[in-house]
Amino acid sequence: MVGVAEAAVVVKPHAYEIDGEAFEGLIIYDDAVTTPRPGLMMVPNWLGVTERSAEKAARAAGDNYVVFMADMYGKSVRPSNPDEAKAAATSVRSDRALMRKRAQAAVKAFEAQSVVPVDTAKMAAIGFCFGGGAVLELARSGSELDAFISFHGNLDTPNPDDAKQIKAPVLVLHGADDPAVPQEQVDGFVAEMKATDVDWQLVSYGNAVHSFTDPYANVPGRNEYHPEVAKRAFQAMDDLLDERFAAQ
């Protein structure tokens, strides 16, 4: 998949292993820039590594960042429909230790790659839907990245006390009407964060439901693209990353 989203955007598969099992993510970057850029480790939605997710990664990357899309399922698992995606995502979500391990391994694979120059002193994690929840678990694992950003992601965790291990700012970008992330999850997340000294933000966008950054989401009232909210959310991401990376 080369030339996704813009002519200057390059998308390259990148193979790595976790405990001898084959995984394959994607490196996404604008090849018009040759100097090292900050890195974003991205966890996609429950469909995993797809061309559509690469389009979203390209939007996030722009010419400011290099993005590495994590493979959370393994190279042999590529869901082709929502039922397969639900099964794959559930298998990972039901084992948070495994979820964290795979997210951590993706960060290491990104740091070790030599495809494109990356400023490894400036790295953050972003995630969408299932991926947003995975990024929050990565934060709770004590990851040393500079920021953790969830777009319409799950907020629940079986171990709220682990939030005390978070070492960098957390930004949650949430649709106020998201039926997949009910108010109980939001309230639980707020309580979890308040029990720590974490630098955290939760932005709740009115009239937005699940998948508001996904141009292909078209299930009214449940999964629906909201271009204005998407633009604001990506700007919020950029603002936090500008702040964090300027401090490095």
Side-chain angles (χ1 to χ4, degrees):
M1 295 184 292
V2 177
V4 173
E6 297 178 18
V9 172
V10 176
V11 181
K12 292 185 176 180
H14 185 68
Y16 59 105
E17 290 188 355
I18 305 175
D19 295 336
E21 182 180 354
F23 288 74
E24 187 173 87
L26 299 174
I27 298 176
I28 300 101
Y29 61 98
D30 185 332
D31 67 356
V33 182
T34 58
T35 54
R37 282 157 285 177
L40 302 183
M41 193 282 286
M42 169 184 158
V43 184
N45 65 20
W46 68 351
L47 287 168
V49 179
T50 66
E51 187 166 355
R52 287 183 176 182
S53 288
E55 292 176 9
K56 187 174 292 184
R59 178 176 181 179
D63 60 4
N64 296 315
Y65 316 110
V66 175
V67 174
F68 178 61
M69 188 190 304
D71 177 3
M72 295 295 288
Y73 302 147
K75 187 177 179 180
S76 64
V77 179
R78 291 292 184 265
S80 61
N81 57 58
D83 288 340
E84 292 179 359
K86 182 178 181 179
T90 299
S91 71
V92 176
R93 275 184 51 80
S94 63
D95 186 343
R96 298 303 174 96
L98 176 66
M99 175 182 273
R100 294 179 181 189
K101 183 175 185 177
R102 290 184 175 178
Q104 291 164 344
V107 172
K108 291 180 180 178
F110 190 17
E111 291 173 335
Q113 64 81 35
S114 57
V115 174
V116 58
V118 173
D119 184 349
T120 55
K122 299 177 180 179
M123 296 186 69
I126 65 173
F128 299 84
C129 303
F130 161 80
V135 162
L136 293 179
E137 286 298 326
L138 176 64
R140 295 177 181 113
S141 76
S143 170
E144 299 282 352
L145 297 182
D146 295 306
F148 303 91
I149 302 168
S150 167
F151 294 82
H152 39 81
N154 303 100
L155 303 178
D156 60 316
T157 182
N159 303 299
D161 281 349
D162 286 353
K164 295 173 183 176
Q165 300 180 139
I166 296 175
K167 298 178 180 177
V170 170
L171 173 61
V172 168
L173 304 164
H174 170 68
D177 298 324
D178 187 344
V181 185
Q183 189 60 39
E184 307 91 83
Q185 278 195 34
V186 177
D187 292 343
F189 175 77
V190 170
E192 176 191 357
M193 292 296 106
K194 283 186 173 181
T196 73
D197 59 0
V198 172
D199 178 352
W200 66 281
Q201 300 175 70
L202 187 150
V203 182
S204 186
Y205 294 106
N207 305 310
V209 293
H210 204 56
S211 303
F212 59 75
T213 64
D214 186 352
Y216 298 98
N218 189 26
V219 182
R222 183 163 184 84
N223 304 301
E224 196 169 0
Y225 180 50
H226 195 309
E228 292 85 1
V229 169
K231 181 178 180 181
R232 293 170 188 166
F234 280 112
Q235 185 61 57
M237 176 194 79
D238 285 335
D239 289 345
L240 176 60
L241 295 178
D242 285 349
E243 175 189 306
R244 292 296 294 159
F245 294 153
Q248 301 305 310

